Amino acid sequence: MIIAVDGPAAAGKGTIARALAREFGFHFLDTGSLYRMVALSVLREGADPADSAAAVKAAKTLDPKGFRDAELRGEVVGGAASIVAVIPEVRAALLELQRAFARQEPGAVLDGRDIGTVVCPDAEVKLFITASPEVRAARRHRELGGKESYEAVLADIRARDERDSMRATAPLVPAADAVVVDTSDMDIAGAVAACVAIIARKTA
């Protein structure tokens, strides 16, 4: 069984997806971390994330074991990841890796931007987790501990949304058969409970 969890940055989809994987005893993959790894690889080489040749090389030679989660979470890496993610050859290089993960038994939860539309269009359950830009910026601002101003974080969120939704390859849009869950007025426990209920209905 495959559960696809898509949505924009800071909507809570990663936390929700991890909770769903624990709830059902499934494997979990944060596919966004793969793009962050590619972005960090490019930055480590001193290259520009918009340099498609450097990004594609990093994607094709990616070793996920060579990264620590903490170094992938900064805003600089996040912004660079959004840039490399618009490169079609980068997405193609990472596609089979994600699909192979999704085929694991007894099931898998994948969280990202295009799981339900491109990576696993045959997923049994597709969730699109969203929230207003202002709410998402406030959440990310808290995560960063005030290291950046709220206004700067909000501007980054909006810029990332535009890049993700306007890219020619695998734009950020809900799959036609996805259930949209707006977490703007939900805490994590409530959002997870809502998603568990959706999955129960979908798989009954």
Side-chain angles (χ1 to χ4, degrees):
M1 179 179 176
I2 301 171
I3 299 174
V5 183
D6 291 310
K13 67 182 184 301
T15 303
I16 291 168
R18 284 185 178 87
L20 293 176
R22 288 193 298 270
E23 175 76 20
F24 295 101
F26 287 177
H27 302 280
F28 168 73
L29 177 63
D30 170 9
T31 64
S33 68
L34 301 177
Y35 293 95
R36 286 173 177 265
M37 290 173 192
V38 171
L40 182 55
S41 297
V42 172
L43 294 173
R44 282 174 173 174
E45 293 295 319
D48 186 337
D51 180 343
S52 60
V56 171
K57 178 183 176 183
K60 288 183 175 179
T61 59
L62 186 67
D63 177 9
K65 298 187 183 73
F67 301 86
R68 292 179 293 106
D69 186 68
E71 64 188 357
L72 298 174
R73 294 299 152 194
E75 285 298 288
V76 172
V77 174
S82 186
I83 294 170
V84 302
V86 306
I87 301 171
E89 294 86 355
V90 169
R91 305 194 73 82
L94 298 177
L95 185 58
E96 187 48 45
L97 187 158
Q98 296 171 77
R99 286 178 172 167
F101 185 95
R103 290 192 289 267
Q104 295 181 98
E105 295 293 342
V109 180
L110 284 77
D111 120 54
R113 301 286 200 280
D114 64 343
I115 308 305
T117 53
V118 176
V119 178
C120 299
D122 57 343
E124 287 87 345
V125 179
K126 299 175 186 177
L127 302 171
F128 191 88
I129 311 299
T130 190
S132 72
E134 293 77 13
V135 167
R136 291 186 285 124
R139 291 171 179 170
R140 181 57 53 84
H141 184 249
R142 286 194 297 272
E143 287 176 8
L144 294 171
K147 293 177 183 176
E148 293 191 39
S149 70
Y150 167 78
E151 291 75 15
V153 176
L154 178 58
D156 180 67
I157 288 281
R158 285 177 168 157
R160 205 177 298 186
D161 285 353
E162 183 173 5
R163 280 198 300 269
D164 289 345
S165 61
M166 298 300 290
R167 67 190 178 214
T169 302
L172 173 64
V173 293
D177 53 346
V179 179
V180 177
V181 180
D182 190 324
T183 67
S184 296
D185 299 316
M186 295 182 183
D187 60 14
I188 287 298
V192 171
C195 291
V196 169
I198 291 166
I199 294 167
R201 290 198 302 271
K202 285 273 190 180
T203 58

